[in-house]
Amino acid sequence: MYQILPIHLSNDRQQIPRVELPVRLDLTMKTGFGPILEAVQEAEKNDRWHRSRRQKAQAIRRRRLKLLRERSNAIRAALKGYSRLDRGQQPTIRLRTDFIWLDTPRAPRTAGSLLATRQGDVDTRPPNTKLIHRPGNAQQVYLGAIYAAHLEFAPGARVDNRHHNVFDRPSADSWATLNALGGSGVDTRELNLRMVRALRALHAHRLVGVGHAGAAGRYDAFTLLDEGASGKRYRVPGEGAADVIGIPAGFFRAGWHLVLTAEELATLLIIIDATQRFGDIPRPPDDGIGIGIADKTKWGHYGIRPEAYTSLHELKEFGLIDVHDLNGRVGGMIPGDDQASTSDRRTLRLIYPLKEETDYDDSAFDVVTTCLADSPLPPRMND
């Protein structure tokens, strides 16, 4: 801290103009200002942290909006492909819950344990959260393939691959088209690479079967495998099947799986599963409405980390769920908490669906790009 002190200088001939020099004062010595100075420094540190956090969030949203706009034609082509395949024959897309939920929960994460390592964590997750470990399109490709299987095959039937990865057969659409993998300036070679990367990740987690290593066209005509990574060929679950969640076909027709991030998709599937699994469990009156997911359940059964689970705020922003906070959080955090990961003192209450029959009439692309453009900062950080 500095104080300006006047310094007067002169010589024998003339008075030198008065100058003021900053002189540092040590306020921690014999002044009693030490605690005040420390508080000021801490406040400045917190202010820098919050400004940095906001700037990063704004940059992420700007980049997301830019990439979505570059994919606008690809998304439009995918929706056109869905209109050719989806004639309303399957109003509900059924997803087996072992894609999302571990019946036997993982052990708590303790220092020095295998689960404390990044790889140990990933290896023990259910497929839903394994797929969000690295950036990529694997999550949307797999869900897109399950959607197509419901439209093209009867429940219980053997599911075959009717689509090329990139080039269309007559009267059919490629997987690259149906999953909107293209974009501005993306050529056929890049489309192939994107599709192969997604299939490589799915194969690593035993969700698709591919050709032998080193074989030409190894990833062509891949085989869709079941959601639990059992290695069995995928069959469409029938109506009334046990251990499935239902996702309205309109969710896919609107292109939500194409515009949500992998973390948002994974979190939404968890919320749908938890709503079905825990929705009828009685709660204390002061807990409000909706369902809550305890930290130990997120970690043990769903395998999702706190930083990925915060994407539920974007799901609320886009109108897919509602969130009730009983803790008075500001910007997703409880006042006084320094880390978002410690803020879950009482679980957020989640509501899905927002109404009994969700029609998904609006284009997911339009909803998300409008939200990103209208609010450069996530709304939860404007609180």
Side-chain angles (χ1 to χ4, degrees), residues 224-245:
L224 187 63
L225 304 180
D226 79 15
E227 300 97 320
S230 68
K232 296 178 182 178
R233 196 167 193 140
Y234 179 81
R235 294 177 184 270
V236 176
E239 187 175 354
D243 300 321
V244 299
I245 61 169

Side-chain angles (χ1 to χ4, degrees), residues 301-323:
H301 289 283
Y302 290 121
I304 192 164
R305 295 171 65 90
E307 58 268 29
Y309 189 69
T310 59
S311 62
L312 63 86
H313 296 289
E314 278 63 48
L315 297 176
K316 177 183 179 179
E317 179 187 356
F318 302 150
L320 295 174
I321 67 169
D322 200 3
V323 179

Side-chain angles (χ1 to χ4, degrees), residues 112-149:
S113 69
L114 177 63
L115 288 175
T117 67
R118 186 68 170 173
Q119 197 58 51
D121 171 14
V122 174
D123 289 344
T124 54
R125 297 177 187 178
N128 180 48
T129 42
K130 281 182 177 178
L131 292 177
I132 67 176
H133 170 50
R134 297 187 185 281
N137 302 303
Q139 183 91 316
Q140 73 186 58
V141 168
Y142 188 70
L143 292 176
I146 285 179
Y147 172 48

Side-chain angles (χ1 to χ4, degrees), residues 198-242:
L199 292 173
R200 188 181 292 132
L202 294 173
H203 176 62
H205 297 305
R206 303 186 71 198
L207 295 171
V208 300
V210 299
H212 296 294
R218 180 187 183 195
Y219 294 96
D220 297 341
F222 65 88
T223 302
L224 187 63
L225 304 180
D226 79 15
E227 300 97 320
S230 68
K232 296 178 182 178
R233 196 167 193 140
Y234 179 81
R235 294 177 184 270
V236 176
E239 187 175 354

Side-chain angles (χ1 to χ4, degrees), residues 52-291:
S52 174
R53 182 170 173 254
R54 292 165 69 90
Q55 289 167 358
K56 288 178 182 177
Q58 288 176 319
I60 289 171
R61 286 170 75 90
R62 282 196 302 268
R63 175 169 171 75
R64 181 176 184 180
L65 180 59
K66 177 177 180 291
L67 292 177
L68 278 173
R69 286 172 171 168
E70 289 175 353
R71 294 176 57 217
S72 60
N73 289 337
I75 292 170
R76 197 173 296 113
L79 300 188
K80 187 175 181 181
Y82 300 159
S83 68
R84 290 190 286 268
L85 292 174
D86 193 341
R87 304 294 184 181
Q89 63 270 44
Q90 283 286 3
T92 301
I93 307 303
R94 290 175 285 275
L95 187 70
R96 294 179 176 89
T97 56
D98 51 7
F99 181 70
I100 308 164
W101 169 271
L102 297 172
D103 284 329
T104 302
R106 304 191 297 173
R109 189 180 191 189
T110 57
S113 69
L114 177 63
L115 288 175
T117 67
R118 186 68 170 173
Q119 197 58 51
D121 171 14
V122 174
D123 289 344
T124 54
R125 297 177 187 178
N128 180 48
T129 42
K130 281 182 177 178
L131 292 177
I132 67 176
H133 170 50
R134 297 187 185 281
N137 302 303
Q139 183 91 316
Q140 73 186 58
V141 168
Y142 188 70
L143 292 176
I146 285 179
Y147 172 48
H150 277 71
L151 303 178
E152 295 179 321
F153 297 92
R158 175 190 177 98
V159 171
D160 296 314
N161 189 342
R162 294 181 175 178
H163 304 270
H164 283 297
N165 283 353
V166 175
F167 294 106
D168 293 350
R169 296 176 182 175
S171 72
D173 293 284
S174 71
W175 288 118
T177 298
L178 292 174
N179 288 289
L181 297 187
S184 177
V186 177
D187 59 17
T188 301
R189 180 176 178 276
E190 177 61 23
L191 274 181
N192 271 303
L193 287 174
R194 291 182 181 186
M195 192 67 199
V196 166
R197 290 189 199 109
L199 292 173
R200 188 181 292 132
L202 294 173
H203 176 62
H205 297 305
R206 303 186 71 198
L207 295 171
V208 300
V210 299
H212 296 294
R218 180 187 183 195
Y219 294 96
D220 297 341
F222 65 88
T223 302
L224 187 63
L225 304 180
D226 79 15
E227 300 97 320
S230 68
K232 296 178 182 178
R233 196 167 193 140
Y234 179 81
R235 294 177 184 270
V236 176
E239 187 175 354
D243 300 321
V244 299
I245 61 169
I247 306 171
F251 176 88
F252 293 91
R253 283 196 302 269
W256 280 104
H257 65 302
L258 304 178
V259 300
L260 294 179
T261 66
E263 289 82 4
E264 290 163 359
L265 267 176
T267 300
L268 180 61
L269 293 179
I270 288 170
I271 292 170
I272 296 172
D273 179 82
T275 299
Q276 179 174 294
R277 196 176 294 275
F278 306 127
D280 295 330
I281 297 176
R283 297 181 302 274
D286 64 340
D287 277 355
I289 57 177
I291 59 103

